[in-house]
Amino acid sequence: MLLPLITFMGLMLGLHDAEIVFVGDAMQHQAQLDAARRGNGSWDYSECFAEVAPWFKTADLAVVNLETPIGPAPHSGYPCFNAPEPFIHALRDAGFGLFLTANNHTLDRRDRGLRHTIDALDRNGLPHLGTYKDAAARDTLMPHIRTVRGIRIGFINYTYGTNGITARDGAHVDYIDTARIAADIRATRGAGAEIICACMHWGDEYHQLPNASQRRLADWLQARGVELIIGAHPHVVQPMELRDNPDGSHCLVVYSLGNFISNMRTRDTRGGAAVTVRLERGTDGIVRVAYAGWQLHFTEPADGKRNFRVVDAYESDDPRAAAFRTAAERLFHAHNVNVPRISSARWLMPAEKQPGAGIPKGSSGQN
């Protein structure tokens, strides 16, 4: 009786839609640490997300992949990351409300670093999933279901690996394992989730097309009823597909969002995509994926006067932003299915994609 009750309450309260924004890898390389460190021992990340914060604050929920442990000194960048707590303060202040922690760097500082990260997120009231202090904690905290404007969304998060580092003191990481994922899908749906979002740390680094394993796993997840499949790890953007299900509903697959903030310096790693998903409750009470669109952001590096800054890739004067943007647009034009660019003007959906507009059948979703 849980789902019918949720549906009835949502209809009675007039809660018919929700918008979720996803971004990729939030990283802290050594140059970023150096730019944020102040002489008095404090850290200043206030510039980093100021220009794009409206993208996330206007969403009903914003989700980020936290690809660094958070802990006490010594702090370090690649290859074994460890960032200070003010980094997550800045992400929180930019509007992020869910932090994904299952990624290949989550054990860079071993079990203790994983637990430090969880403690920092908990201390700041920041919801997270993907790693846990131990298996018992996972059992207590999962399924992870968020109620967003009356819509119950279940989140699951897994990584392909942790760079050969294994937990030695009971810390728990959710690795990609289809038996575990299938059980989590059943438990999450059974707990009342109307939409399930699988956040996958997968794929080949620096490859702009998904590999065969990503494609197979995306198909497998869709076949088990997952509505949102959001990928990270390659550090470059990969294509997006808004697929049709046999019942007429839709499944969104984003193979990779690329980097959100980093000090990576090749053309395709300097930025990433923010993907907005609109969920709508129909007159039948069922919640469906109604629309998805992307916008590109670019990281302008520190220059001695300013810190690293994530900016709208279409508004940056940095010529490297134009090169990143052109390559990403070319990729999306060739491979995206029904996932267009969102208007950059004030981060608004195109008028034809507002609630009730639906998805044009057979649309390529290209510019």
Side-chain angles (χ1 to χ4, degrees):
M1 293 297 293
L2 182 59
L3 275 175
L5 178 60
I6 293 167
T7 298
F8 175 75
M9 291 178 64
L11 290 171
M12 290 297 293
L13 293 172
L15 302 176
H16 301 297
D17 64 84
E19 287 186 3
I20 317 298
V21 181
F22 298 88
V23 300
D25 307 330
M27 310 190 75
Q28 280 291 279
H29 290 93
Q30 189 61 50
Q32 296 170 269
L33 295 170
D34 294 343
R37 186 184 287 110
R38 296 295 172 258
N40 62 1
S42 66
W43 302 84
D44 184 1
Y45 291 97
S46 59
E47 284 186 279
C48 293
F49 312 115
E51 293 198 25
V52 292
W55 296 10
F56 313 117
K57 290 182 176 180
T58 56
D60 298 306
L61 178 65
V63 184
V64 60
N65 175 45
L66 181 64
E67 195 154 0
T68 175
I70 302 296
H75 299 107
S76 58
Y78 181 84
C80 288
F81 292 99
N82 186 40
E85 193 167 324
F87 182 54
I88 59 171
H89 297 168
L91 290 165
R92 174 200 62 198
D93 294 346
F96 289 100
L98 180 58
F99 290 68
L100 308 174
T101 58
N103 57 65
N104 59 305
H105 287 287
T106 199
L107 285 173
D108 279 5
R109 292 302 178 102
R110 310 312 195 261
D111 297 49
R112 180 178 295 183
L114 181 150
R115 293 188 177 108
H116 277 313
T117 304
I118 292 172
D119 285 340
L121 291 166
D122 289 344
R123 187 161 49 245
N124 289 279
L126 298 173
H128 55 89
L129 78 155
T131 59
Y132 308 89
K133 291 186 175 182
D134 52 40
R138 186 192 196 277
D139 292 342
T140 299
L141 296 169
M142 292 292 286
H144 186 105
I145 298 177
R146 300 287 297 274
T147 300
V148 183
R149 286 182 51 80
I151 296 173
R152 286 174 60 85
I153 307 168
F155 290 89
I156 51 181
N157 176 213
Y158 311 92
T159 180
Y160 74 93
T162 46
N163 293 345
I165 304 171
T166 57
R168 296 183 178 181
D169 188 28
H172 184 91
V173 178
D174 272 347
Y175 294 102
I176 294 173
D177 174 87
T178 53
R180 161 57 71 183
I181 297 171
D184 287 344
I185 291 170
R186 291 191 297 269
T188 303
R189 195 72 78 182
E194 299 175 274
I195 294 289
I196 293 181
C197 175
C199 299
M200 312 301 294
H201 207 74
W202 60 3
D204 297 324
E205 289 183 325
Y206 318 120
H207 287 243
Q208 287 196 301
L209 293 177
N211 63 30
S213 176
Q214 285 172 275
R215 293 185 183 278
R216 284 194 302 269
L217 188 51
D219 293 346
W220 184 90
L221 289 164
Q222 181 184 8
R224 278 149 188 82
V226 174
E227 289 90 354
L228 304 174
I229 303 166
I230 309 295
H233 174 61
H235 301 301
V236 296
V237 294
Q238 291 183 340
M240 312 164 188
E241 304 166 356
L242 191 59
R243 302 176 174 185
D244 292 333
N245 288 320
D247 65 358
S249 63
H250 303 284
C251 170
L252 174 66
V253 179
V254 177
Y255 285 108
S256 175
L257 290 163
N259 287 329
F260 180 51
I261 189 168
S262 79
N263 187 42
M264 291 189 175
R265 290 170 287 181
T266 63
R267 182 194 66 185
D268 299 325
T269 59
R270 289 183 179 273
V275 170
T276 294
V277 181
R278 183 187 293 278
L279 306 174
E280 291 183 359
R281 188 184 301 281
T283 55
D284 58 2
I286 297 174
V287 178
R288 299 177 178 87
V289 179
Y291 172 79
W294 55 268
Q295 176 60 306
L296 296 176
H297 51 76
F298 177 80
T299 298
E300 294 185 348
D303 59 8
K305 296 180 180 179
R306 308 191 71 171
N307 204 336
F308 285 79
R309 296 182 307 129
V310 182
V311 300
D312 186 327
Y314 291 88
E315 296 182 2
S316 175
D317 294 328
D318 190 321
R320 295 168 294 189
F324 162 74
R325 187 175 68 230
T326 299
E329 288 178 334
R330 186 183 304 117
L331 176 78
F332 291 162
H333 181 77
H335 298 283
N336 274 21
V337 179
N338 288 325
V339 185
R341 179 188 166 200
I342 294 172
S343 169
S344 61
R346 299 189 62 180
W347 191 242
L348 294 175
M349 292 282 183
E352 68 272 15
K353 297 299 184 180
Q354 292 297 322
I359 301 170
K361 290 291 185 181
S363 168
S364 67
Q366 305 309 324
N367 294 338

